[in-house]
Amino acid sequence: MPGELDTGGRGLSIVDALAFCWGVKERPAGIGKTIWAEVVTPAVVPAPPMVDPSVMS
């Protein structure tokens, strides 16, 4: 977890705090990664995740 004065490193912490579920998938050729997330509103009851649990964080 980044410290109070750090200027970066909070992205996935924010995603984790706001998302119902999320995950990371490596991109082809090993350059970068894709982050996906599902966010719901309080009035919506989310369906169970339809992704392979091995790619969820």
Side-chain angles (χ1 to χ4, degrees):
M1 187 65 138
E4 266 183 46
L5 301 177
D6 290 337
T7 59
R10 291 179 179 81
L12 290 180
S13 297
I14 294 170
V15 170
D16 189 45
L18 297 176
F20 167 68
C21 62
W22 65 277
V24 179
K25 187 173 184 178
E26 295 296 322
R27 296 179 77 189
I31 300 172
K33 58 188 161 255
T34 300
I35 309 297
W36 61 267
E38 293 183 23
V39 181
V40 296
T41 64
V44 175
V45 176
M50 299 300 291
V51 296
D52 181 353
S54 66
V55 297
M56 295 177 67
S57 295

